[in-house]
Amino acid sequence: MKRLSTILIIALVAMVALQAIAQDAAPQAGGTLRAAWDAEWTGLDPHIVSTVSSARILDNVVEPLTAYDDSMRLGPMLAESWVQSEDGLTWTFTLRQDVTFSNGRAMTAEDVKWSMDRIIDPATGSGRVAQVGGADAVWTVIDDYTVSVTTSTPNAILPNLLAASTQAVVAHESVGENGQIVVPIGTGPFIIGDVQGTTNMTLVKNPNYWQEGLPHLDEVNITVISEDAPREAALVGGEVDWLLFLAPQSVESLEASADITVDSVPGLNYFYIGINTLREPLDDVLVRQAIAYAIDRQQLCDAGWFGLCTPVQGPTGPSSPWYFDYAPYTQDLDMARSLLEQAGYPDGFEMELLPTSSYPDSVRQAQVLQQQLAAVGITTTINAPEWAEWLELEGSGNYDGYICSWNGLTDANDYYYLQHRTGEVFNFTGYSNPDFDALVDEGRSLSDFDERYAVYEQANKILVDEAPYIYFYNNSITRAYKSYVQGYVTRPDGANFWLNTWLDQ
């Protein structure tokens, strides 16, 4: 464990050191950064969005009470400090008194309560209820700049859970008559300006931003270029300055370009197939284990990310301090066939694989998976719709096995709670195990790392053994940009902040 943690720390320190070298020069104010996205955003309501394409925009528009810095250390953001009561049931946050929303109105404790209550309200449909204390959490205004939250059971990690743009404080003026937020009014360094559908947007510098002298940029123009080759050609040709996503097969060639910087760090995420546990025969754990034994994760890693990844059998990988090396599923086709026979499917069965054409790596994984499962008699078809249709199919449970990734992970709770606990909005597989639920609930009540590690180690074993999700690999987080783009830090959690970015030209 300690060795793995040390590896991560060394990697992070090295990354930060390289960024520090790049920031030796004095930042220049002004200019427009031209950024390219690989997928359309799927909404801009921070309390509802679940896609990377939306969250990486909102990182720059709204802010939470707490935040992880570039070295993944928790620190203050809109809250200056926080303290837990002796009984462990109440956290009290002291807010900064110099923060205004982008419309010029002061942010107070009433705004925090309103935002957290909105996330908790079932009518909002947020998947982040557990991140703000749970459905029965009570947020209370103490005074203009002090707010507390009381939970029914001790929650030792609530400040950690709040540290994401999806738990942001937003102005109530953001909400339309239908209760939805189309364009959020936040406290972040940029304001959403001109928006053209879901493919073009301009972020404008927030003149009321509370961190003096920031941001450096005047504007950021975001354009969606969905295909890899044209997007990367736009960077090489100087039509854009910065890419959110770089195809793994292009890393080596772009690294050779003298005027392009390619940053890559070990990612805190995972790629997987989610199995619909509410459908036959996939509701049988023996069938799911047969799939887990039938696959070769290195081949999936090579196909999906051209080897720029690490095969895993649980959600965490070696770059996370929450890594567990429990790995029972070395490819064993005889074992897979035996499990299928025990389950009553000696001749296999048919199922559909659901990648999305919007993310070509998921289609490549599906094609390899199709070949691997055929070897044990499981016949698959591949349905690869566009992203919006894919999200609808996944969300409605209209699939056999969907292929995706889960991103933005730091604490163990991020890996094991929202996608896996019974009844959570993002638990699309329908998985439910009371013993697992009790463990992940206990993990939220503990603050000591070693005690929590022992709890999550048990939860991880249950999850891997029951295989509602079959994990493939962690990939590297990679960004590519022109060398005159300075001050940007590529982070292991994939978060995207242009607060300190500037243009040396």
Side-chain angles (χ1 to χ4, degrees):
M1 252 311 295
K2 289 183 178 177
R3 184 180 68 83
L4 294 169
S5 299
T6 301
I7 291 172
L8 174 61
I9 291 170
I10 292 173
L12 292 173
V13 170
M15 175 188 72
V16 173
L18 289 172
Q19 296 294 340
I21 292 172
Q23 296 176 54
D24 281 347
Q28 298 176 20
T32 298
L33 180 74
R34 299 165 300 170
W37 252 228
D38 56 312
E40 298 180 28
W41 46 91
T42 57
L44 295 170
D45 186 335
H47 299 159
I48 295 178
V49 299
S50 62
T51 60
V52 170
S53 54
S54 294
R56 298 295 80 88
I57 295 170
L58 293 168
D59 287 341
N60 296 281
V61 177
V62 296
E63 295 175 325
L65 292 178
T66 61
Y68 286 99
D69 67 14
D70 294 336
S71 297
M72 301 296 103
R73 294 173 300 205
L74 186 70
M77 179 54 76
L78 297 181
E80 288 183 321
S81 62
W82 47 90
V83 62
Q84 189 176 25
S85 62
E86 290 188 4
D87 64 6
L89 296 177
T90 300
W91 284 94
T92 301
F93 295 87
T94 301
L95 308 180
R96 300 186 61 88
Q97 297 189 23
D98 57 350
V99 178
T100 60
F101 290 106
S102 58
N103 63 4
R105 182 172 67 78
M107 184 212 71
T108 69
E110 290 285 357
D111 297 298
V112 177
K113 174 177 168 53
W114 180 87
S115 298
M116 301 302 114
D117 285 350
R118 181 173 186 266
I119 293 173
I120 293 171
D121 186 348
T124 304
S126 175
R128 306 289 173 175
V129 176
Q131 304 300 92
V132 300
D136 56 358
V138 178
W139 285 80
T140 303
V141 174
I142 307 298
D143 58 39
D144 282 352
Y145 295 102
T146 310
V147 63
S148 69
V149 55
T150 300
T151 54
S152 57
T153 58
N155 187 325
I157 59 168
L158 191 60
N160 304 63
L161 303 182
L162 293 170
S165 59
T166 45
Q167 286 85 256
V169 179
V170 297
H172 63 80
E173 302 95 300
S174 306
V175 177
E177 293 182 357
N178 58 4
Q180 297 181 348
I181 294 177
V182 176
V183 176
I185 299 172
T187 63
F190 291 94
I191 304 167
I192 295 175
D194 182 42
V195 179
Q196 299 176 30
T198 54
T199 58
N200 287 279
M201 172 190 297
T202 299
L203 300 182
V204 181
K205 181 177 183 175
N206 177 2
N208 297 309
Y209 191 55
W210 58 276
Q211 295 200 56
E212 188 175 354
L214 296 174
H216 301 301
L217 296 167
D218 287 335
E219 292 186 349
V220 179
N221 289 336
I222 301 174
T223 303
V224 175
I225 306 176
S226 57
E227 295 186 14
D228 294 336
R231 184 173 63 254
E232 290 155 13
L235 178 66
V236 172
E239 298 165 25
V240 300
D241 308 308
W242 189 96
L243 302 185
L244 177 68
F245 176 78
L246 172 63
Q249 63 269 35
S250 303
V251 169
E252 187 173 346
S253 62
L254 287 183
E255 283 179 333
S257 299
D259 66 339
I260 292 176
T261 298
V262 177
D263 285 339
S264 185
V265 298
L268 300 174
N269 57 9
Y270 57 84
F271 287 69
Y272 65 96
I273 179 170
I275 305 295
N276 192 334
T277 64
L278 304 179
R279 284 186 176 181
E280 295 182 351
L282 302 168
D283 59 343
D284 189 328
V285 66
L286 296 178
V287 170
R288 300 197 298 270
Q289 290 175 339
I291 295 173
Y293 273 113
I295 67 175
D296 182 328
R297 290 167 176 77
Q298 186 61 58
Q299 287 183 358
L300 290 163
C301 169
D302 292 341
W305 281 86
F306 290 76
L308 300 175
C309 38
T310 302
V312 295
Q313 296 198 18
T316 59
S319 61
S320 168
W322 299 104
Y323 176 60
F324 307 101
D325 60 1
Y326 181 60
Y329 297 121
T330 301
Q331 187 184 40
D332 187 335
L333 301 185
D334 290 337
M335 175 65 81
R337 295 187 186 99
S338 174
L339 288 167
L340 287 174
E341 185 170 359
Q342 292 177 53
Y345 299 93
D347 300 321
F349 61 91
E350 296 180 358
M351 67 178 290
E352 182 184 86
L353 304 177
L354 182 67
T356 168
S357 59
S358 299
Y359 290 98
D361 62 285
S362 72
V363 177
R364 296 195 296 270
Q365 293 170 69
Q367 292 166 340
V368 171
L369 192 59
Q370 184 175 49
Q371 296 174 11
Q372 294 177 347
L373 295 181
V376 297
I378 301 174
T379 301
T380 61
T381 55
I382 296 176
N383 176 25
E386 295 286 335
W387 186 226
E389 182 182 352
W390 186 97
L391 287 169
E392 184 175 346
L393 292 171
E394 179 215 35
S396 61
N398 192 13
Y399 68 90
D400 291 329
Y402 72 89
I403 297 173
C404 196
S405 63
W406 189 242
N407 303 279
L409 314 174
T410 48
D411 186 81
N413 182 81
D414 302 331
Y415 288 95
Y416 291 96
Y417 199 92
L418 294 183
Q419 264 210 318
H420 303 99
R421 195 191 185 285
T422 300
E424 283 298 309
V425 170
F426 296 125
N427 180 2
F428 298 113
T429 67
Y431 175 64
S432 179
N433 181 321
D435 293 335
F436 176 86
D437 292 349
L439 286 167
V440 295
D441 287 345
E442 183 181 0
R444 293 161 64 91
S445 71
L446 302 172
S447 57
D448 180 80
F449 178 85
D450 291 337
E451 291 181 13
R452 295 188 72 208
Y453 189 88
V455 168
Y456 283 110
E457 187 170 27
Q458 297 175 62
N460 179 75
K461 185 176 185 304
I462 292 174
L463 197 61
V464 173
D465 285 344
E466 298 199 331
Y469 300 78
I470 298 171
Y471 308 96
F472 294 165
Y473 54 81
N474 304 135
N475 75 324
S476 298
I477 303 297
T478 304
R479 303 278 190 261
Y481 44 89
K482 287 292 191 181
S483 55
Y484 52 75
V485 177
Q486 299 289 315
Y488 183 80
V489 176
T490 301
R491 294 164 50 111
D493 63 354
N496 172 49
F497 298 109
W498 287 314
L499 178 66
N500 293 294
T501 301
W502 56 281
L503 303 178
D504 186 15
Q505 62 177 176

